[in-house]
Amino acid sequence: MARILLVEDGRDSSAPLLLGHLQGAGHEVEQVEDGSAALERILSMPPALTLLDIVLPRIDGIQVLETVRSYGNHPIIMLTARAQEADRLLALDLGADDYVCKPFSPREVVARIHTVLRRHAQWRDTAARPSTAVRFDDPRGNACLEGRALRLTRRELLLLRALSRDPGRVFTRSKLLEAAFPEAFDVNERAVDGHIKNLRKKLAAAVPSHDWIRSVYGVGFSFAERPA
């Protein structure tokens, strides 16, 4: 079904079992054992998704994640024994699509892979629709508003994708929370407001002649196209 890159240092006894489940699900799997090799592989010939450990030789998984995110929106699931909340929050804030702690169920990992791949396919479909003034450059994770480049954080980019997918539709904070924090379960809905505020400023700086995001009191937000 998809090409998966498994980044493990080779000492984890669960790797062969996971490989068997991935291959049984129809995936083509390549394994590398250090962060430097993983980084070179992802940037030169990106797979459909990467399963990335944190503790790796040469370059650790967090550095790999941060570097990859500076180039684009490649799907990455952290697969690690580092179960501390600080590690999980750091990885998710840097842009990991999911975070799975060891020991894990290989069947659950396969299910999470399918979820992340579906989500990225939906983002690509949204980006391909010429329905708004917003255009997305998926390989690098960038966006443009009426031809003007936007410098957005990952959360802002995800919010803009969700809002611009259906102009005029009012999205609740709950729906936007799902879109911008798909991997987090303990984030308050009000976190959306701060990111919307920053996104509005950036849209206004790019094209100040129109109010692109409208607030609907007590409900949420909508993306407003220019009048025809």
Side-chain angles (χ1 to χ4, degrees):
M1 292 177 65
R3 290 185 298 115
I4 307 295
L5 180 65
L6 176 61
V7 187
E8 289 274 8
D9 68 0
R11 294 177 294 177
D12 191 338
S13 60
S14 66
L17 182 61
L18 177 59
L19 276 169
H21 276 78
L22 291 172
Q23 291 167 345
H27 298 299
E28 177 186 342
V29 186
E30 176 186 353
Q31 184 173 1
V32 297
E33 298 188 355
D34 70 76
S36 179
L39 191 56
E40 180 180 354
R41 178 70 176 79
I42 294 168
L43 296 181
S44 61
M45 294 182 62
L49 180 143
T50 296
L51 297 171
L52 179 63
D53 201 350
I54 290 180
V55 181
L56 296 168
R58 302 179 70 182
I59 302 175
D60 69 37
I62 292 296
Q63 290 176 289
V64 172
L65 171 65
E66 191 169 15
T67 302
V68 171
R69 277 291 168 266
S70 70
Y71 283 90
N73 203 31
H74 172 71
I76 295 177
I77 297 177
M78 308 305 292
L79 202 62
T80 176
R82 299 279 286 272
Q84 294 90 342
E85 182 183 45
D87 291 318
R88 181 170 61 90
L89 293 178
L90 174 61
L92 294 175
D93 191 56
L94 288 174
D97 292 276
D98 205 344
Y99 194 101
V100 180
C101 295
K102 301 175 184 177
F104 51 76
S105 160
R107 292 178 63 186
E108 180 184 354
V109 173
V110 171
R112 287 175 180 262
I113 287 171
H114 293 169
T115 297
V116 170
L117 289 176
R118 279 198 305 270
R119 185 189 307 145
H120 277 261
Q122 290 168 357
W123 290 344
R124 288 193 295 271
D125 290 344
T126 299
R129 296 172 189 165
S131 58
T132 74
V134 181
R135 295 291 180 266
F136 297 99
D137 174 16
D138 273 288
R140 295 189 61 84
N142 297 329
C144 292
L145 178 65
E146 294 191 344
R148 296 170 176 83
L150 301 170
R151 295 181 61 86
L152 305 179
T153 67
R154 178 173 180 262
R155 305 299 183 193
E156 293 163 0
L157 184 67
L158 293 176
L159 285 170
L160 185 58
R161 284 186 188 276
L163 289 165
S164 63
R165 180 185 306 140
D166 194 353
R169 173 186 170 186
V170 179
F171 288 82
T172 64
R173 286 182 174 84
S174 176
K175 287 296 184 184
L176 293 175
L177 187 65
E178 291 176 9
F181 297 83
E183 69 293 310
F185 303 100
D186 53 357
V187 180
N188 189 285
E189 289 183 6
R190 289 294 171 181
V192 170
D193 291 12
H195 291 286
I196 288 288
K197 180 180 178 180
N198 292 333
L199 178 57
R200 271 179 164 150
K201 288 180 180 178
K202 293 179 180 181
L203 297 180
V207 183
S209 57
H210 183 64
D211 183 14
W212 294 99
I213 297 179
R214 308 282 172 83
S215 298
V216 180
Y217 183 76
V219 182
F221 304 93
S222 68
F223 186 85
E225 290 277 42
R226 285 180 181 273

